[in-house]
Amino acid sequence: MIAFGTCATLMCAVGLVGILGLWHLKGHVPASYRLLFTALIAVAWTGCLITVSSGIHLHRVVCGGLNRMSTRFEEIATTLDLSMRARSPRMDEFGLAAVAFDRLMRRVEEAMSAVHLSTDSVATATREIAAGNLDLSVRTEEQASSLEET
């Protein structure tokens, strides 16, 4: 933004110098000089407007992309919903970063699903072992009781 502001300021200064130069021209100066000063003023002010509008556009593109990305990251951090995807309206650098982020989130989601599946398997096996231990304990008590009666 500093570069765009500096360029726009210089263009405005050139335009103002051109206006002052045109104002100070005397009547005995050829018409071509007046035409050159007028062209200089027009080019300077046009350049100033183009520079300002380009700076504003670039600022909107860059800040808009960064704001979309940070908003998406905040949503994912808050909700911990790994299925959320970062959508981008265009495929510039920010859009490509969103695609790469989506790929990363898919891999994390796959890894978390595999961990969840493994923990479910371990939980099922643990319940079965606990049930087997309880059954063994009951049978052992029955055997001890039967042995005591014998």
Side-chain angles (χ1 to χ4, degrees), residues 22-75:
L22 186 62
W23 185 51
H24 286 315
L25 284 179
K26 304 293 183 206
H28 62 278
V29 177
S32 62
Y33 284 157
R34 290 188 183 280
L35 182 64
L36 285 175
F37 270 102
T38 306
L40 174 70
I41 294 167
V43 167
W45 285 105
T46 303
C48 180
L49 291 175
I50 289 172
T51 303
V52 168
S53 64
S54 296
I56 291 170
H57 175 70
L58 183 64
H59 183 266
R60 284 184 183 160
V61 167
V62 171
C63 289
L66 290 174
N67 288 336
R68 280 191 304 277
M69 286 175 67
S70 66
T71 300
R72 182 62 59 183
F73 292 159
E74 284 296 324
E75 288 175 5

Side-chain angles (χ1 to χ4, degrees), residues 69-132:
M69 286 175 67
S70 66
T71 300
R72 182 62 59 183
F73 292 159
E74 284 296 324
E75 288 175 5
I76 291 171
T78 302
T79 63
L80 292 178
D81 182 8
L82 299 179
S83 65
M84 293 179 82
R85 298 294 177 247
R87 292 171 293 282
S88 179
R90 53 184 172 268
M91 291 310 294
D92 54 2
E93 285 78 10
F94 296 108
L96 295 175
V99 168
F101 179 73
D102 287 347
R103 198 173 3 198
L104 169 71
M105 291 307 294
R106 265 193 301 282
R107 296 285 293 152
V108 169
E109 187 177 13
E110 290 169 5
M112 294 301 292
S113 295
V115 168
H116 184 67
L117 184 63
S118 297
T119 56
D120 284 347
S121 298
V122 168
T124 301
T126 303
R127 282 193 298 275
E128 290 174 359
I129 290 171

